[in-house]
Amino acid sequence: MEYTIQKLGLLAGVSTRTLRYYDEIEILKPARTNSSGYRIYGEVEVNRLQQILFYKELGLPLDQIKKIITSPSFNAADALHEHREKLLSKRQQLDRLISNVDQTIAANEGRITMTDKEKFEGFKKQMVEENEQKYGKEIREKHGNNAVDQSNEKVLNMTQSEHDKATKLAEEIHTTLAEAFKTSDPAGDLAQKAADLHKQWLMLYWNEYSKEAHAGLAQMYVDDERFTAYYDKEKPGTAEFLRDAIHIYTGMKN
């Protein structure tokens, strides 16, 4: 089967404007252009569009999707198995949140009692699983399964006050780091305060602290583009600045 851009858009539930944009950024080009100038798409393009939409559903940005599906090592069959596993995980997360809502409704109606810890279990499990999907492989390779499992367990057993403290610390790190970055001095007081706050935040998730592990995590912020994108989203170079500040703080600066 071959499709014009309009027919493919109707088939897939996307706009022709989107398909034109995909052509423009070279993530999905038509098989050919006919004599009338219309884009024509074949089976290969239909399959690629399906893959793009799968990855979009999983929350990946287009630039990352393009990098994945245009890689010489990309395997469509393996990707489908991976999509399935991630969608099953997503369904499990939704099932847990639905169960949590059902319990809360029952508690509000007086049919059951619910502890404060139980009220947030679904959210914490979701956070742990999302972190595993995004960063689990790299962190386990770097720090070992035991350390990561202990950290996950600590998150799941976190009290509401500990969760609130982690959130407050994360906000304080963000504002302090932004101010420190303006000084361009990772050894300065503000930068070292940000590094210390970062340590305090880590200790809410780690069972034990080591300078080597702290410095290694900071290096990952620079080596892994996903971490770098998070820290650099407002000011490019922030991830490297934080890495340098933590390396100075831990005495690991080369």
Side-chain angles (χ1 to χ4, degrees), residues 23-82:
D23 182 5
E24 181 184 326
I25 65 173
E26 299 185 342
I27 192 173
L28 178 68
K29 298 193 73 66
R32 60 186 177 86
T33 303
N34 68 13
S35 57
S36 301
Y38 290 106
R39 294 174 174 85
I40 303 297
Y41 298 84
E43 184 179 0
V44 171
E45 290 72 38
V46 168
N47 291 340
R48 170 164 282 200
L49 178 58
Q50 183 193 40
Q51 291 286 359
I52 292 169
L53 296 180
F54 274 139
Y55 280 119
K56 281 194 69 180
E57 183 63 27
L58 293 169
L60 272 69
L62 277 177
D63 58 347
Q64 192 173 341
I65 297 172
K66 181 181 177 181
K67 188 180 295 185
I68 292 169
I69 65 176
T70 59
S71 168
S73 62
F74 177 74
N75 182 293
D78 289 344
L80 285 171
H81 285 290
E82 184 182 348

Side-chain angles (χ1 to χ4, degrees), residues 91-157:
R91 183 171 71 182
Q92 290 171 352
Q93 291 170 6
L94 289 172
D95 286 343
R96 270 195 295 272
L97 290 176
I98 291 169
S99 174
N100 194 279
V101 170
D102 288 341
Q103 286 181 296
T104 304
I105 291 171
N108 288 342
E109 293 174 351
R111 291 184 279 118
I112 65 168
T113 57
M114 201 174 181
T115 67
D116 288 342
K117 181 182 175 184
E118 288 172 334
K119 292 175 184 177
F120 296 95
E121 275 184 356
F123 299 104
K124 288 188 287 188
K125 286 180 179 177
Q126 182 176 355
M127 181 176 70
V128 166
E129 290 189 0
E130 286 178 351
N131 284 338
E132 277 285 345
Q133 287 178 11
K134 290 180 181 177
Y135 314 116
K137 181 180 178 182
E138 296 89 338
I139 294 175
R140 286 181 181 276
E141 287 175 353
K142 194 170 188 67
H143 299 290
N145 288 330
N146 189 49
V148 176
D149 289 340
Q150 287 179 353
S151 177
N152 287 343
E153 189 65 25
K154 193 167 184 179
V155 171
L156 293 174
N157 290 320

Side-chain angles (χ1 to χ4, degrees), residues 2 15 40 44 50 70 89 126 155 176 181 202 206 233 249:
E2 289 191 329
S15 68
I40 303 297
V44 171
Q50 183 193 40
T70 59
S89 177
Q126 182 176 355
V155 171
T176 304
F181 185 74
L202 280 178
W206 288 4
K233 61 185 175 183
Y249 178 83

Side-chain angles (χ1 to χ4, degrees), residues 206-234:
W206 288 4
N207 279 345
E208 57 184 32
Y209 176 81
S210 81
K211 292 180 178 181
E212 292 79 6
H214 193 183
L217 181 62
Q219 185 61 47
M220 189 184 294
Y221 291 166
V222 175
D223 294 341
D224 190 308
E225 62 185 17
R226 293 166 299 178
F227 286 106
T228 305
Y230 172 79
Y231 282 103
D232 284 8
K233 61 185 175 183
E234 293 180 7

